[in-house]
Amino acid sequence: IIDSIVLRGDLSGLKEEQLTGYYNYRCQQVGLDPSAKPFDLLVLSGKKVLYANAGATQQLSNLHGLSTAITNRERVENVYLVSVRCTGKDGRSSENQGAVDIAGLSGERLATALMKATTKAIRRTILAHIGLGMLDETELDTIPSNQYQKVDLPPVTPLPPIYVSPLLCSVTYCVTLSRFTISCAVVVTVTCVL
């Protein structure tokens, strides 16, 4: 199973509870909330793989304080290309592109394709900046529909509820992500009616 995941990126050999565990592990690796379902599952070229959905890139952008800027938009023959720069709080930046075929499109279909190129560029850049090398949902449009199949994920266990005593208390969370440690203090005031 490990060979299948590491060498081929194929999750097919995982049982339901193992798949849920792997899903939670991938979320934990990059600090995502698994109950928000930031990844979806599909079978692509015979391999079961996770891909990042809109929720993943939104959470990552917020979590890491990323900002994006469009650096270029151009038409190259029948392809519309958008280039985006993503910059983190540390000043490090990454660039990537999103491209869509616009041959024969006009009106609303053309407008939708232009927005899709921008969305694709932003998501690809965020994922690359974070180092999360995986497909994002905007790239599914470039794969013929007969070559992939969306698969339902097993139920993801939500994060456990936090018990707060009926007194004024201070709860401190510390989340460790690879080489970064993010800490925040949360003060919770609870009034109980007995």
Side-chain angles (χ1 to χ4, degrees), residues 2 21 24 55 59-60 72 74 83 89 92 96 107-108 110 122 127 139 143 147 155 159 162 165-166 172 174 176 184:
I2 300 288
N24 286 328
Q59 282 189 59
L60 288 168
N72 191 38
E74 65 181 302
S83 301
K89 291 185 280 191
R92 185 175 67 87
N96 216 318
E108 186 155 339
L110 176 61
I122 291 169
L127 293 173
E139 295 178 277
I143 302 168
Q147 291 185 13
L159 297 174
I162 300 170
S165 68
T172 304
C174 182
T176 304
C184 65

Side-chain angles (χ1 to χ4, degrees), residues 47-185:
K47 296 189 291 189
K48 193 180 279 189
V49 296
L50 286 179
Y51 67 95
N53 60 33
T57 51
Q58 291 165 356
Q59 282 189 59
L60 288 168
S61 182
N62 186 43
L63 180 67
H64 295 281
L66 303 177
S67 63
T68 57
I70 295 170
T71 58
N72 191 38
R73 297 175 201 246
E74 65 181 302
R75 182 180 181 153
V76 179
E77 296 180 15
N78 290 325
V79 175
Y80 183 68
L81 179 71
V82 177
S83 301
V84 170
R85 177 179 300 121
C86 174
T87 306
K89 291 185 280 191
D90 60 359
R92 185 175 67 87
S93 64
S94 301
E95 293 195 28
N96 216 318
Q97 294 79 35
V100 293
D101 182 358
I102 56 172
L105 299 181
S106 63
E108 186 155 339
R109 291 179 58 214
L110 176 61
T112 299
L114 300 180
M115 290 185 293
K116 193 174 286 186
T118 302
T119 301
K120 183 184 284 191
I122 291 169
R123 291 186 185 165
R124 289 177 57 126
T125 307
I126 289 171
L127 293 173
H129 187 82
I130 299 301
L132 195 59
M134 62 176 18
L135 284 174
D136 88 274
E137 67 184 345
T138 61
E139 295 178 277
L140 294 180
D141 292 340
T142 63
I143 302 168
S145 61
N146 65 347
Q147 291 185 13
Y148 74 88
Q149 173 190 0
K150 290 186 177 182
V151 179
D152 288 334
L153 279 164
V156 177
T157 307
L159 297 174
I162 300 170
Y163 172 75
V164 180
S165 68
L167 305 171
L168 175 63
C169 64
S170 175
V171 181
T172 304
Y173 296 96
C174 182
V175 179
T176 304
L177 304 171
S178 58
R179 289 176 267 161
F180 307 100
T181 300
I182 301 170
S183 299
C184 65

Side-chain angles (χ1 to χ4, degrees), residues 4-72:
S4 177
I5 295 172
V6 175
L7 300 178
R8 294 187 302 279
D10 186 6
L11 305 175
S12 299
L14 298 179
K15 296 177 184 168
E16 188 172 297
E17 68 270 2
Q18 292 171 317
L19 183 57
T20 302
Y22 180 75
Y23 186 96
N24 286 328
Y25 167 75
R26 288 296 296 207
C27 288
Q28 184 182 23
Q29 271 186 314
V30 290
L32 298 177
D33 177 5
S35 65
K37 293 194 144 197
F39 301 119
D40 289 315
L41 192 63
L42 64 93
V43 176
L44 176 64
S45 303
K47 296 189 291 189
K48 193 180 279 189
V49 296
L50 286 179
Y51 67 95
N53 60 33
T57 51
Q58 291 165 356
Q59 282 189 59
L60 288 168
S61 182
N62 186 43
L63 180 67
H64 295 281
L66 303 177
S67 63
T68 57
I70 295 170
T71 58
N72 191 38

Side-chain angles (χ1 to χ4, degrees), residues 164-169 187-194:
V164 180
S165 68
L167 305 171
L168 175 63
C169 64
V187 177
V188 180
T189 304
V190 178
T191 306
C192 285
V193 178
L194 300 175

